[in-house]
Structure formats: C-alpha cells, structure tokens
Amino acid sequence: MPRSGPLPAAFSLLLLTAALLPAPSVAQNEPRINASEDVTIQVYGQAAITLQCNLTTSPSPLSASYWVKNGEEIPGTRKTSNTTEYKILKPRAEESGEYLCVFVFSNSPVANATIEVRAIPDITGHKRSENKNEGQEALMYCKSVGFPHPEWVWRKKVNGVFEDINNSSGRFFISNKDNYTELSITNLQINEDPGEYQCNATNQIGSTSVTTILRVRSHLAPLWPFLGILAEIFILVFIIVIYEKRKRPDEVPDDDEPAGPMKTNSTNNHKDKNLRQRNTN
Ligand SMILES: *[C@@H]1O[C@H](CO)[C@@H](O)[C@H](O)[C@H]1NC(C)=O
Ligand SMILES: *[C@@H]1O[C@H](CO)[C@@H](O)[C@H](O)[C@H]1NC(C)=O
Ligand SMILES: *[C@@H]1O[C@H](CO)[C@@H](O)[C@H](O)[C@H]1NC(C)=O
Ligand SMILES: *[C@@H]1O[C@H](CO)[C@@H](O)[C@H](O)[C@H]1NC(C)=O
Ligand SMILES: *[C@@H]1O[C@H](CO)[C@@H](O)[C@H](O)[C@H]1NC(C)=O
Ligand SMILES: *[C@@H]1O[C@H](CO)[C@@H](O)[C@H](O)[C@H]1NC(C)=O
Ligand SMILES: *[C@@H]1O[C@H](CO)[C@@H](O)[C@H](O)[C@H]1NC(C)=O
Ligand SMILES: *[C@@H]1O[C@H](CO)[C@@H](O)[C@H](O)[C@H]1NC(C)=O
C-alpha cells in the first residue's frame, strides 16, 4: 500500500481550492466596464478623440466616476453616471498617456479600466548648442512627450554620419529617465569632442531625434574678455585725450560768445524797462 499516502493529501487540496474559489453570486456582482479601444494619435490631421467607459454591471450604487491621466485625476471630470466620456479636442503627443476611467461605489471597492493613448515621441526640450572650455564638463539633455516612454540613444556625427558614441576614453556618461535623457562629457578635449551630437527617442509608434552642437574653446579663451576690456579702456582713454586736446582751443571763444549777447540783452531789457517807466511817468 505505498500509494495510499498521497491520495488523502490531494483530496484535501482539492477541497481547499474549491473553498477558496469565489461563489458564483459574487462573480456576478463584479463591476464590469466596457471601455474604448486603445488609440494612436496621428501626427498630421488628427481629429478629436473621444474616450468612453460604460459601466455595464454595478456591484452597488454608483457614487462617482472620474478620469485619470498618468496617475493624476483630470480636474472637472467627476460626475455620477454609469457612462462617461473624455474628449481630447486637439490630440498632440503631449496628450498621449495612460488614461483610466474610475468608478466609485458606495459599498464596494473602486473599479477602473485603462485606455492607452499612444503617440510618436516629440522632443520638447534640448540645447541647440553647448559651449565649454577644454577640461570642463559638457552637459546635453533631451526631454520628450509621447507615450509609451521612449528608448533613448545618443550618437555623434563622424565623417557626416551619426555613430554610436565611442566611449573608449571613459569620459561619456548617459543617464536616462522615462521622458528625459542626459549626456555628459567630462574633461573636454578640443581635438576630439567638438561636433554634432544627436539624441534619438524611439517607441513603438516611431522615432524622433534632435541635435546639439558642442563647441570647445581653448584654455586661453577665458582671457579674451579680459583682454577685450583692456583694449576698450585703452581706446576710451585715447578718445578722451584727443577730445580734450581739441576742445581746449575752442573753449575760449565759446565761453565769451554766449556771455556777450546775454549781457547786452539784459542791459537792453533794462533800457526798455527804463524807457517804458519813463513813458508811463
Ligand atoms: C461593449 O461595446 C462594444 C462596442 O463598443 C459592443 O460591441 C459590446 O457589445 C459591448 N459590451 C457590453 C458588455 O456591453
Ligand atoms: C457606451 O454607451 C453608449 C450609449 O450609451 C454607446 O454609444 C457607446 O458606444 C458605448 N461605448 C462603449 C465603449 O461601449
Ligand atoms: C445606467 O444608467 C441609466 C440611467 O441612469 C440606467 O437606465 C441604466 O440601467 C444604468 N445601467 C447600469 C448598468 O447601471
Ligand atoms: C484601479 O484598479 C486597481 C485594481 O484593479 C487598483 O489597484 C487601482 O488603485 C485603481 N486605480 C485607481 C486610480 O483607482
Ligand atoms: C515625464 O514623466 C513623468 C512621469 O513619468 C511626468 O510626471 C512628467 O510630467 C513628464 N514630463 C514631461 C515633460 O512630459
Ligand atoms: C574608438 O576610438 C578609438 C580611438 O579614440 C579607436 O581606437 C577605436 O577603434 C574606436 N572604437 C570604435 C568602436 O569605433
Ligand atoms: C563610459 O565609460 C565610463 C568608464 O568606463 C563608464 O563609467 C560610463 O558609464 C561609460 N558611459 C557609457 C555611456 O557607456
Ligand atoms: C533612431 O534610432 C533608431 C534605432 O537605431 C533608428 O531606427 C531611427 O531611424 C532613428 N531615428 C532618427 C529620427 O534618427
């Protein structure tokens, strides 16, 4: 009788799983939501998009429904109705994301359905150029909108073609977040590093890229503004000296000329006054 051992054990396991299964009445009361299909925003000529959720089975009276985008409630969408809509009037990449319709019940847990609105990544922020001195650190970045979040790749233009970054010097550092990527280059080399760098964002829908121009100036570059200021001061002093020298001889007649007529004018006025006074007398 070596087989009689496992049999009771298997039987009790069967009983246990049967007891754990939800009762059919509970299954019937599970909330059910009929939601719109996932959508993809087309870049050109996209018409408004309407997301819909219809609650088809309610476990207990409905107390509210609302919409959530990327984990945050969309203000102004709260209402009490078993059908709810959210309209995206001007669909663009920034409107893409994970949308949820949420139904709240008076006596049972919330229920929700997810609708994905997808779009090709759009790079909304980057530097057109980065200017640094040799030995310093350069920092370039790109940030994107567009769901799903992209995979990021950085490339550098070599002989007219963008190639993966050659990190044999160990000076290149890349840090990626969902919708943000950063490339930093330490200890800049004036012979190797200047050029065009490209960040490329790729998701299921497509890919986009932008470029940043890196300029690296020589160590002497910080001196140029100082030399410039010196030159400016020199020129200024030169101009002042010349001006003063030219002004001197002119000063003598300039001082006398306006004084003469003014005096005569005032004496004339006095004379006039005296004349008038005499006349009235
Ligand atoms: C859900 O909606 C689709 C059309 O949008 C319809 O064909 C289907 O019958 C609906 N399901 C239920 C359970 O209402
Ligand atoms: C929701 O219900 C409305 C009618 O009330 C219907 O026109 C619409 O197609 C339904 N939507 C879904 C996603 O089932
Ligand atoms: C949804 O609401 C309408 C009107 O309030 C009602 O007629 C309908 O029975 C409701 N449907 C469900 C599934 O609760
Ligand atoms: C959506 O439903 C899941 C369970 O299906 C729950 O864990 C989550 O918290 C709900 N999310 C929201 C925003 O209500
Ligand atoms: C980037 O994603 C995070 C969450 O993934 C979000 O909070 C943030 O608003 C997004 N930034 C942009 C510019 O889309
Ligand atoms: C990377 O650059 C070094 C010289 O800077 C070169 O020897 C090496 O072949 C390059 N590697 C690749 C994969 O291009
Ligand atoms: C480049 O090399 C350095 C040193 O080996 C390493 O720490 C860094 O992560 C590398 N960067 C990339 C982008 O691979
Ligand atoms: C981005 O990189 C991917 C993968 O290497 C490539 O297929 C795509 O053409 C690149 N896109 C752009 C806009 O450069």
Side-chain angles (χ1 to χ4, degrees), residues 112-146:
N112 59 53
T114 302
I115 304 169
E116 279 189 7
V117 177
R118 305 192 187 107
I120 187 170
D122 184 16
I123 296 171
T124 55
H126 79 289
K127 288 179 183 171
R128 283 178 202 283
S129 66
E130 168 83 333
N131 303 310
K132 290 280 154 151
N133 299 327
E134 56 183 322
Q136 287 186 322
E137 182 177 340
L139 190 126
M140 296 167 238
Y141 69 86
C142 289
K143 61 178 181 180
S144 71
V145 292

Side-chain angles (χ1 to χ4, degrees), residues 101-214:
C101 59
V102 183
F103 290 96
V104 186
F105 306 101
S106 42
N107 297 315
S108 39
V110 298
N112 59 53
T114 302
I115 304 169
E116 279 189 7
V117 177
R118 305 192 187 107
I120 187 170
D122 184 16
I123 296 171
T124 55
H126 79 289
K127 288 179 183 171
R128 283 178 202 283
S129 66
E130 168 83 333
N131 303 310
K132 290 280 154 151
N133 299 327
E134 56 183 322
Q136 287 186 322
E137 182 177 340
L139 190 126
M140 296 167 238
Y141 69 86
C142 289
K143 61 178 181 180
S144 71
V145 292
F147 184 86
H149 295 305
E151 298 286 330
W152 293 102
V153 177
W154 283 93
R155 297 200 171 96
K156 189 193 174 189
K157 205 175 213 172
V158 181
N159 302 323
V161 187
F162 282 103
E163 288 179 0
D164 288 346
I165 277 164
N166 179 347
N167 192 23
S168 62
S169 65
R171 296 181 294 109
F172 292 78
F173 298 87
I174 294 170
S175 140
N176 293 331
K177 299 209 177 85
D178 283 347
N179 44 19
Y180 181 82
T181 182
E182 210 173 74
L183 166 68
S184 63
I185 312 171
T186 58
N187 189 19
L188 284 170
Q189 300 297 303
I190 201 160
N191 300 321
E192 301 168 26
D193 298 336
E196 280 182 56
Y197 291 78
Q198 179 191 59
C199 76
N200 172 321
T202 306
N203 70 8
Q204 302 161 13
I205 315 302
S207 78
T208 312
S209 63
V210 295
T211 57
T212 299
I213 297 167
L214 174 65

